[in-house]
Amino acid sequence: MLRLHAPQVLGALVRRYGHFAEAEDSVQEALLAAARQWPAAGVPDNPRGWLIKVASRRLADQLRADEARRRREEAAARLTPRDGLAAPPPGESRAPSADDTLTLLFLCCHPALTPPAQIALTLRAVGGLTTAEAARALLLPEATAAQRISRAKAKIRDVPFRPPGPEDRDQRLAAVLQVLYLIFNEGYTATSGAALQRTDLAHEAIRLTRAVRALLPREGAVTGLLALMLLTQARSAARTGPHGELIPLDEQDRGRWDRAAIAEGTALVEEALSEGPAGPYQLQAAIAALHDEAARAEDTDWPQILALYDVLVSRAPDPMAELGRAVALAMAEGPEAGLAEVSRLERRSADGPADRQPGRHRLEAVRAHLLERSGDAVGARAAYQRAAQQTLSIPEARYLRMRAARLGP
C-alpha cells in the first residue's frame, strides 16, 4: 500500500510546493510515521489524504525555517490551484489528468533534464525502484545511476510544474513511455531478490500507462505500449511453479494465461498499428501477440516473429531486441544460426559503450539454451553456470543451475 501511495503523495507535494528533494524527504518521513502508527491505530479511511497531510505539514515546517524557501513557497502557492492538495473521498476515483502520480511522471521528464536523467529520476521517484534496481534496469553501474538521480533532483529543485507544451511534448512523452516500460520490466522480471516477479510494479506501470492513454487515446506508441504490457503480463500466472520456480515460455501451462488480457492486448495491437508508422512498442506488442496466440509452443510462428524483429532492430536498435532476434533466428533457422548471431553481438558489445551491452547473464543464458539445442551439453552446462553466477535474481539463478545439473556432471 505504501509503495502505491508514495509517488501520488510526492506528486501532490511537488504540485503545491515545488522543492522536489525536500518534498521527497517529507514524504519519506510521512511513510515512516505511517509504518509506526498504522499497525496499532489502524489504516485511516483515506490513507493517501493522511500521508499528504502529514508530509505537507513537515515540508511546510521545513520551508518556513528558511526565508528564501518561504518566498519560493508563496510563489508556488500563487501558481497552484487551492485544491491542488485535495485528496478525493474514499472510493472516489480521479480523472487521469488529475492523477498526482501522472503529474509527477511528467515533471520528472521535464525538458530541463537530459533523457537519461529523466529516466533515472522517474524510475526512482515514480517507480519506487532503489538506486541499485534503477541502475540494473538501465544497464548502468550503480554509481553512475546515483549520480544521474542526484543531479536531476538538484536541477529541478526550483522548477514549477507545467504541462508539456507542443514544443516539448514528443520528447517528454518518449521519456515517460520508456520509464513506464522499464518499471514494467522490473515488475515482470525482478532484477534481484527472492521473487521472480514484483506484481505491484507491473500493475502500477499498467495503471499509469492506461492513464496516459486516456489523455492521448490516438497516440500509437502509447496504445502499443499498453498492448505490450497486457500481452506480456497475461502470462504471469504461468511463469512460476508452486515453489516460486521459474517456468520458461515453452514449458508454461497456457491454460493459465489470462485470456481477457490477451484479447484486450490483441485488439490494442491492431489499433496501434493503424495509428501510423509502427514504432518499437507496436512491433514488440505484435511479437508478444504472436506468442500469446499460439495454442502450443510448437505452433509459434517463428518466421513471422523473426521478420518483426528484423524491422524492430532496423528502426530502433536495442541490445535486448537484438538478443531476442538471435533467439527468433535460432528457432526459425536452427541453433547454429542463433549461436553465430550471439557471438557477433558479444564481439560488438565488448568494444562498444556500456549502454549497448545486454545484461551479461541474459546473453549467457541464451547461449546456453542454443548450445543445448545444438547438442553441445558440455558447452551448454558451462554457459548455464556462468549465467547463474552473473544474475542477482534468486529464482533465475536456481533455474539456470537446474538446467546445468540436468546436463550431467
Side-chain angles (χ1 to χ4, degrees):
M1 177 185 291
L2 292 179
R3 179 187 286 275
L4 173 65
H5 289 303
Q8 298 176 347
V9 176
L10 179 56
L13 263 67
V14 171
R15 279 165 60 95
R16 174 65 173 84
Y17 293 102
H19 305 286
F20 186 97
E22 291 83 352
E24 189 177 36
D25 291 340
S26 297
V27 171
Q28 292 302 317
E29 290 183 20
L31 294 174
L32 289 174
R36 288 193 300 266
Q37 297 178 32
W38 290 3
V43 178
D45 292 337
N46 185 358
R48 183 173 63 178
W50 188 97
L51 290 167
I52 289 174
K53 183 177 181 180
V54 172
S56 297
R57 285 176 176 172
R58 299 193 180 198
L59 180 57
D61 289 344
Q62 179 182 355
L63 293 176
R64 279 194 294 267
D66 186 282
E67 181 65 19
R69 291 182 181 177
R70 186 183 64 80
R71 287 196 299 268
R72 289 196 295 270
E73 177 193 7
E74 291 173 348
R78 288 194 296 270
L79 294 173
T80 306
R82 276 290 185 181
D83 61 352
L85 282 179
E92 180 180 318
S93 61
R94 300 177 67 171
S97 60
D99 189 316
D100 289 323
T101 307
L102 200 59
T103 296
L104 183 61
L105 192 60
F106 278 97
L107 175 61
C108 289
C109 297
H110 195 280
L113 303 176
T114 64
Q118 293 170 345
I119 293 166
L121 179 61
T122 310
L123 283 173
R124 181 72 182 89
V126 183
L129 275 65
T130 65
T131 301
E133 289 167 345
R136 288 192 292 274
L138 294 168
L139 304 178
L140 290 174
E142 184 173 348
T144 302
Q147 189 176 55
R148 284 187 185 177
I149 293 169
S150 178
R151 288 177 176 174
K153 287 180 181 179
K155 196 159 190 176
I156 66 168
R157 181 183 299 271
D158 300 318
V159 172
F161 172 75
R162 62 175 179 82
E167 70 284 355
D168 63 356
R169 193 207 72 136
D170 289 346
Q171 177 190 354
R172 290 172 75 174
L173 180 62
V176 164
L177 296 183
Q178 185 175 1
V179 167
L180 291 174
Y181 185 40
L182 289 170
I183 293 172
F184 175 80
N185 284 341
E186 179 64 24
Y188 187 70
T189 303
T191 53
S192 64
L196 178 67
Q197 305 177 85
R198 297 173 60 182
T199 55
D200 55 341
L201 280 183
H203 290 162
E204 179 67 359
I206 291 173
R207 185 189 76 83
L208 290 172
T209 306
R210 287 190 187 278
V212 176
R213 184 168 182 267
L215 296 174
L216 302 168
R218 302 301 298 171
E219 190 71 39
V222 179
T223 305
L225 178 58
L226 179 58
L228 174 59
M229 290 179 178
L230 291 171
L231 291 165
T232 304
Q233 185 66 13
R235 312 179 203 129
S236 60
R239 293 183 67 227
T240 54
H243 304 293
E245 66 273 21
L246 186 154
I247 300 177
L249 181 62
D250 60 347
E251 297 177 15
Q252 290 175 14
D253 176 3
R254 300 185 177 215
R256 299 183 64 197
W257 288 3
D258 185 341
R259 291 296 159 186
I262 291 173
E264 182 184 1
T266 302
L268 288 172
V269 170
E270 295 175 357
E271 181 180 336
L273 292 176
S274 70
E275 291 173 346
Y281 299 122
Q282 296 96 308
L283 291 168
Q284 289 179 81
I287 292 169
L290 287 172
H291 281 296
D292 287 6
E293 290 170 350
R296 303 174 302 164
E298 53 267 34
D299 297 332
T300 305
D301 189 347
W302 285 108
Q304 182 63 25
I305 289 175
L306 176 59
L308 287 169
Y309 267 120
D310 286 339
V311 178
L312 176 61
V313 299
S314 68
R315 294 186 181 179
D318 173 83
M320 298 311 298
E322 291 166 346
L323 195 56
R325 182 186 175 279
V327 173
L329 180 65
M331 299 302 293
E333 300 182 8
E336 290 77 13
L339 285 167
E341 181 66 10
V342 168
S343 296
R344 186 187 71 81
L345 293 175
E346 184 177 37
R347 288 194 301 271
R348 190 187 67 184
S349 66
D351 299 327
D355 63 358
R356 293 298 304 159
Q357 299 178 16
R360 182 68 193 184
H361 79 279
R362 299 195 187 284
L363 188 146
E364 289 292 353
V366 168
R367 190 202 312 276
H369 175 66
L370 298 184
L371 286 169
E372 183 178 359
R373 286 179 59 86
S374 72
D376 184 355
V378 174
R381 185 173 187 272
Y384 277 129
Q385 290 174 333
R386 288 194 298 271
Q389 292 168 354
Q390 292 162 359
T391 182
L392 297 176
S393 167
I394 293 173
E396 281 188 345
R398 188 181 299 122
Y399 166 77
L400 293 165
R401 292 192 185 99
M402 179 272 291
R403 296 292 298 220
R406 286 198 331 191
L407 297 173

